[in-house]
Amino acid sequence: MMGRFLLALAGCALIGAGPVRALEVVSGVLRVDYPSQLPISRYDLRPDDLGFAGAVLATEDNQTTGRFLGMEFLSESVAATPESAPDALDRMIADGIRLIVVMAEAGDLLALADRAGDDVLILNASARDTALRDDQCRANILHVAPSEAMMADAVAQFALWKQWRRWFLIEGSNPADRMLADAYRRAADKFGATIVETRVFEDTGGSRRTDTGHVLVQRQIPVLTQNAREHDLIIAADASDVFGLYLPFHAWDPRPVMGAGGLHPVTFHAAHEAWGATQFQRRFEKLATRYVQEEDYQVWLALRVIGEAVIRTNSNDPGVLRDYILSDAFELAAFKGRPVDFRPWNGQMRQPVLLTDNKLTVSVSPQEGYLHQRSTLDTLGLDEPESACMAFEE
């Protein structure tokens, strides 16, 4: 699937000057699609334009300001398989596109960034592996997507604010689930919670929505959670979308659920209306004729980062833009109560994390009382002393 969204500006006449040549800024969005099972809930079905709709809206937003400054913003969106993604990247670069938003798993993201080289700036809009911000970081990757560590810390801060210190951790059996469980273990150590017990939910495959409906789940989950040590909270580490949504109301003991079920962390969601988000939601829904998903928001945010940097520097050079984005001068409004910016030591965007039950924004982390000498946003995820990233050192 390929679409090129052009909001053309032929020329711009400045007061007291003749027409000037537009500064053309072409960005790419490369989405790598993987085989996947149906989600547990029909509400979570993946739209064909996932991420791409956010790109269209961001390009429109960039052009709204750009047209007054003699700038022309364009974006090209491409969907590829893991096998075809390298060729798709090569075609983008051959077409002169050196600002590329990538939606891919960690391994493919790193391979694509290494293939692109230092003359291309990659913005990661989906991969949450904490290692990408740690010892696996790359100098040409900036992370708009939060890390698993940031999301787990957002949950942990709220749980500790509620004085829910004793956690019963249930993790899936897939590698992504184990990685998420490790993030929650780290968060528990960081903020002073205790994981009183850990159990594993084995993923046996099959169609979770049809083969393991509510009748079977009503019997399985109580057995899984029976006779657990005394706990205040169940943490679901289910990155694979196998069991987390089933935990509320089915656990043996009546306890709140957080993580992949119950109250969960997101970058954005369709019910969020605070801090001017309602106008964003309405514009997106008019454009896409559906509700926004996290991937849409993250691609929108990535392209807005590019747009803001271009407007402030009057340049489309990836190196110039990268330096500005990582500087103290950069900040961007993101409908989350405070501006976002980037950590210069590993290229991770600092941003608040919303906690939602899918109906409303229950809370926003960082929570009140969690302080930091630089920014309270740095209480989420790897702080500078914790990160082994060396690629961003001068």
Side-chain angles (χ1 to χ4, degrees), residues 29-104:
V29 179
L30 176 56
R31 189 185 74 194
V32 182
D33 294 336
Y34 302 89
S36 62
Q37 294 179 309
L38 289 172
I40 291 176
S41 172
R42 291 188 71 252
Y43 280 120
D44 296 328
L45 289 172
R46 178 187 176 97
D48 291 338
D49 63 346
L50 185 66
F52 296 166
V56 178
L57 186 60
T59 304
E60 291 179 355
D61 290 347
N62 286 337
Q63 189 63 13
T64 298
T65 302
R67 68 166 53 95
F68 297 107
L69 301 173
M71 298 175 180
E72 181 180 2
F73 286 91
L74 309 91
S75 65
E76 179 175 303
S77 295
V78 178
T81 65
E83 295 75 22
S84 66
D87 289 340
L89 177 74
D90 291 346
R91 287 193 295 272
M92 282 186 171
I93 296 174
D95 288 340
I97 301 175
R98 296 191 295 158
L99 304 167
I100 302 176
V101 179
V102 175
M103 303 170 65

Side-chain angles (χ1 to χ4, degrees), residues 5-12 20-27 54-75 283 300 303-311:
F5 308 108
L6 306 181
L7 297 169
L9 178 65
C12 177
V20 296
R21 181 179 178 85
L23 174 67
E24 185 176 82
V25 183
V26 185
S27 302
V56 178
L57 186 60
T59 304
E60 291 179 355
D61 290 347
N62 286 337
Q63 189 63 13
T64 298
T65 302
R67 68 166 53 95
F68 297 107
L69 301 173
M71 298 175 180
E72 181 180 2
F73 286 91
L74 309 91
S75 65
R283 289 189 298 116
W300 174 85
L303 289 178
R304 285 291 294 119
V305 165
I306 292 173
E308 180 70 12
V310 169
I311 288 166

Side-chain angles (χ1 to χ4, degrees), residues 133-134 137-138 322 326 342-348 350 372 374-375 377-378 380-393:
R133 292 83 171 165
D134 198 16
C137 69
R138 298 291 191 274
R322 177 187 179 278
L326 292 174
F342 283 81
R343 294 170 179 156
W345 62 85
N346 63 1
Q348 171 65 60
R350 297 183 179 101
H372 192 277
R374 183 185 299 105
S375 167
L377 291 173
D378 284 338
L380 303 178
L382 294 180
D383 200 359
E384 185 171 9
E386 301 172 295
S387 174
C389 179
M390 306 292 289
F392 288 75
E393 293 186 355

Side-chain angles (χ1 to χ4, degrees), residues 246 284 311 355:
Y246 291 129
F284 182 88
I311 288 166
L355 299 172

Side-chain angles (χ1 to χ4, degrees), residues 124-183:
N124 168 28
S126 62
R128 292 183 174 176
D129 304 54
T130 301
L132 295 173
R133 292 83 171 165
D134 198 16
D135 58 347
Q136 295 298 310
C137 69
R138 298 291 191 274
N140 65 337
I141 302 179
L142 300 180
H143 303 281
V144 173
S147 66
E148 294 287 17
M150 291 173 66
M151 304 304 261
D153 286 355
V155 170
Q157 286 191 10
F158 183 73
L160 271 295
W161 184 83
K162 294 288 292 182
Q163 299 298 312
W164 297 335
R165 297 182 177 278
R166 297 174 298 178
W167 297 0
F168 176 19
L169 176 63
I170 303 178
E171 62 179 283
S173 58
N174 297 307
D177 306 326
R178 293 193 292 270
M179 180 179 68
L180 181 55
D182 287 342

